[in-house]
Amino acid sequence: VIGDGWVQGGAALFTYGVGRLHGNAKVAHTGSDLVRAQILYGILTKGLKLAVDRQRPDGGGHSFPSGHTAAVFASASVLHGHFGWKTALPAYALAAFVGWTRLRDEQHWLSDIGAGAAIGVIVGQTITSGHRQRAWRVLPVPARGGIGVIVFKSS
């Protein structure tokens, strides 16, 4: 149940609403990123499910990738981007548990779980990528025959 997209989306909207209601910009921003992650993972997983149409272990359809796993890993990854590893570890552990239950209940193959987890992490990290401090920067520079890049380490 925890991995259901509606549950994750509802929790994301709730987080955003609480932040807005109490004037807490950090909570509202986290909620906003959680909502965006749920929308993006949903588009990606639904598209792949329709394109691949893999049979589930129990005989049903649309097995690849695991949407439940992707939903929870997306939320965990957003929390990681906002709050770091101390918050992320229990969230990732919960996400791994959701993936395991999908495997245990014969709803998905192991590769479905792995793909869902990867999608979730990539989505969450992409959405929160601007929140982290970088010790380096990539700049486009003109080069003979096209554009090149230079990587600078900031001090």
Side-chain angles (χ1 to χ4, degrees):
V1 173
I2 292 170
D4 185 79
W6 291 105
V7 172
Q8 289 294 308
L13 285 170
F14 179 78
T15 302
Y16 175 73
V18 166
R20 295 285 293 178
L21 183 67
H22 292 285
N24 187 323
K26 178 71 173 169
V27 173
H29 184 198
T30 302
S32 172
D33 283 353
L34 287 167
V35 169
R36 292 186 319 150
Q38 293 305 307
I39 292 168
L40 184 55
Y41 106 81
I43 291 168
L44 291 171
T45 57
K46 285 293 183 192
L48 282 169
K49 283 178 178 291
L50 292 172
V52 175
D53 194 22
R54 183 180 195 183
Q55 187 174 1
R56 293 175 183 263
D58 69 355
H62 303 297
S63 183
F64 184 87
S66 170
H68 285 76
T69 305
V72 186
F73 269 96
S75 293
S77 188
V78 166
L79 294 176
H80 178 206
H82 276 273
F83 303 108
W85 277 104
K86 289 182 181 179
T87 302
L89 279 176
Y92 283 129
L94 177 64
F97 175 75
V98 168
W100 174 77
T101 62
R102 302 301 288 165
L103 191 64
R104 179 201 65 196
D105 295 345
E106 296 186 351
Q107 292 299 305
H108 289 286
W109 305 102
L110 184 58
S111 57
D112 302 339
I113 304 300
I119 289 168
V121 169
I122 290 167
V123 163
Q125 291 298 301
T126 299
I127 286 173
T128 62
S129 66
H131 304 333
R132 293 181 286 283
Q133 296 293 326
R134 303 253 192 272
W136 49 270
R137 86 179 58 219
V138 177
L139 300 173
V141 294
R144 197 160 116 168
I147 294 179
V149 296
I150 296 179
V151 178
F152 288 103
K153 179 160 175 78
S154 302
S155 48

